[in-house]
Amino acid sequence: MEKTIKLDLGCGPRKREGFIGVDAMKFDGVDVVADLRKPWKWKTGTVDDVHCSHFLEHLTGAERIPFFNELHRVLKKGAKATIIVPSWTSERAYGDPTHQWPPVCGFAFYYLNEAWRKVNAPHVGYTCDFDFIGGNSLAHPWGLKTQEAQGFAQTHYLNVAQDMHVTLTKR
């Protein structure tokens, strides 16, 4: 029987239960010390699931391209990756001086889909192909408001959307 591989990328000291903890630093719980800006050690099409919370924003815009290409390479077809980053409309995206420019925004995930790139952005260096869905976690009390009020607040006010949660599925 084939072993299931689930990676928690950039896990820091809070590795997700049941996952292999991967980080550039050797914290408690880190199983693999690796620089995710370089080629990854996992074989093509061998990873079943990825969780990546509050790591992507520490990569520069240019470093994110090979990150997503490697993510696509190691995932099995149909496998999912959960990406969580601070919303670009939140001070959380800018408060940590180790966060890189530009902040991650929802539109960035369109570039991960090959069909979209062919029509809209054939010049970029992506080789990955993902479908994606996502949304924002909202600051209190906005999660208790109507959907219309939530949408208005996210469009017009800062610090309403705290984190963006995106699920990528390898095509």
Side-chain angles (χ1 to χ4, degrees):
M1 188 165 144
E2 189 177 309
K3 181 181 173 190
T4 300
I5 299 174
K6 297 169 25 170
L7 305 176
D8 187 347
L9 302 178
C11 66
R14 294 174 302 282
K15 177 179 74 172
R16 190 171 182 87
E17 188 174 333
F19 283 66
I20 297 167
V22 182
D23 202 286
M25 298 174 68
K26 182 61 179 154
F27 295 105
D28 285 342
V30 171
D31 303 298
V32 177
V33 175
D35 183 348
L36 294 172
R37 295 171 298 172
K38 297 181 178 170
W40 300 359
K41 70 177 243 156
W42 296 275
K43 293 180 181 172
T44 300
T46 59
V47 175
D48 298 277
D49 191 5
V50 167
H51 182 79
C52 183
S53 179
H54 293 280
F55 168 73
L56 190 62
E57 65 272 16
H58 294 275
L59 300 177
T60 67
E63 290 169 340
R64 294 172 196 161
I65 296 170
F67 174 88
F68 283 117
N69 290 340
E70 279 294 285
L71 177 62
H72 185 266
R73 182 186 67 76
V74 302
L75 283 172
K76 293 177 178 177
K77 186 174 182 176
K80 297 186 183 309
T82 301
I83 308 289
I84 303 169
V85 295
S87 169
W88 69 273
T89 63
S90 171
E91 290 177 311
R92 295 162 55 99
Y94 307 96
D96 182 343
T98 67
H99 290 182
Q100 300 296 311
W101 192 261
V104 182
C105 69
F107 194 78
F109 293 96
Y110 284 96
Y111 287 85
L112 306 183
N113 182 274
E114 184 178 27
W116 185 90
R117 285 194 312 271
K118 283 182 180 179
V119 173
N120 298 289
H123 60 281
V124 298
Y126 291 102
T127 57
C128 60
D129 190 16
F130 290 106
D131 288 325
F132 71 94
I133 58 169
N136 295 318
S137 61
L138 304 181
H140 184 76
W142 292 105
L144 304 173
K145 306 282 184 180
T146 66
Q147 200 167 15
E148 182 180 6
Q150 290 175 10
F152 180 87
Q154 289 181 77
T155 301
H156 297 287
Y157 305 142
L158 296 175
N159 296 311
V160 172
Q162 293 186 326
D163 289 332
M164 180 172 37
H165 297 249
V166 177
T167 300
L168 304 174
T169 304
K170 180 176 177 176
R171 293 181 50 78

